[in-house]
Amino acid sequence: MQLQQTMLDTFQRDGVVLIKGLFKDQVETIRAGIEANMQTPGPYASENLAPGHTGRFFDDYCNWPRISQFQQVIFQSSMAQVAAQLMQSQSVQLFHDHVLVKEAGTSLPTPWHQDSPYYFVEGEQTISFWCPVDPVSDATLRFVAGSHRWPKPVLPIRWASAEDFYASEDTYMPIPDPDAEGMPVLEWDMQPGDAVAFDFRTLHGARANASSQRRRAFSVRLVGDDARYVERPGRTSPPYPGHNMQAGQRLRADWFPVVYPQPQ
Ligand SMILES: O=C(O)CCC(=O)C(=O)O
């Protein structure tokens, strides 16, 4: 799939771009993978239970090694080649998969956050694809255009409890309120198989799912040539215990496989 130059420019400028139908041929596969994941959650699965909230917000990640449907999407779709174009990178490495299901009537919003501070990898060339497999309007992802270029990262918090994610917070700026502060917020109604592609540093969040439909979403996180392992002030998310990498190294390819160019 060859993207138009305007889409590449949009991704570089805004830190996010909508790609209609990117996973249109994988919708049933993704639904089956999410079902398998929810039937047998992994060790990192979370119900994001917050006091006083209704519904269910399930998320889980790093399950591609045991869920064949996720492998099919990651290794056999055009996603990796699209990632290379958007990141302007010669190579693309898989970081991890992430399932995010907000059942109908779930009142918990996803707080504004950047993914990068939670991760142990940084660079100019990073990308996440977020793909709903249900039609989504109100509970779609929302992004602050250009926030991937902000000089200081935003304080990461735990989604359900809103506690600080790390003990030391000097490195981070407080979480803004983009709506109240008049920031340029981008969001799209999406159909099953559409995707938003965004930089790990782009500030994003989502509203509650007040609708009567589930909002099942599958996300894949990828890195490009310049991404390197970095130390954080605490346990990262995902943690990958025993990874044994040192600051400045590329992610180890035996745990984080190269998905583009396709290995021969
Ligand atoms: O699905 C959501 O509500 C949040 C997703 C998200 O923050 C992400 O994919 O990075």
Side-chain angles (χ1 to χ4, degrees), residues 156-262:
I157 59 165
R158 294 185 192 282
W159 288 3
S161 67
E163 287 163 4
D164 290 357
F165 195 75
Y166 301 121
S168 110
E169 51 181 72
D170 299 348
T171 328
Y172 304 101
M173 64 180 258
I175 304 170
D177 182 343
D179 294 311
E181 295 172 40
M183 292 178 175
V185 174
L186 301 174
E187 60 183 300
W188 299 272
D189 289 354
M190 295 172 72
Q191 293 303 312
D194 291 347
V196 277
F198 57 99
D199 189 295
F200 287 178
R201 299 164 297 181
T202 307
L203 191 75
H204 60 284
R207 296 190 190 87
N209 182 13
S211 80
S212 54
Q213 291 205 55
R214 312 181 77 183
R215 193 223 61 183
R216 291 167 292 178
F218 180 61
S219 180
V220 185
R221 329 290 189 172
L222 304 150
V223 299
D225 299 335
D226 84 336
R228 294 290 182 274
Y229 175 79
V230 288
E231 299 283 353
R232 297 293 186 206
R235 182 180 146 109
T236 56
S237 168
Y240 280 103
H243 61 68
N244 216 17
M245 291 181 289
Q246 306 295 321
Q249 290 180 340
R250 290 192 76 158
L251 297 188
R252 50 186 294 183
D254 53 343
W255 287 27
F256 305 97
V258 173
V259 289
Y260 181 87
Q262 291 248 315

Side-chain angles (χ1 to χ4, degrees), residues 11 14-17 86 113-115 119 126-131 141 143 148 196-204 219-222:
F11 179 73
D14 293 343
V16 58
V17 67
L86 289 169
H113 67 282
Q114 294 166 315
D115 289 341
Y119 294 167
T126 64
I127 197 164
S128 284
F129 292 90
W130 183 92
C131 168
L141 277 198
F143 301 87
H148 62 312
V196 277
F198 57 99
D199 189 295
F200 287 178
R201 299 164 297 181
T202 307
L203 191 75
H204 60 284
S219 180
V220 185
R221 329 290 189 172
L222 304 150

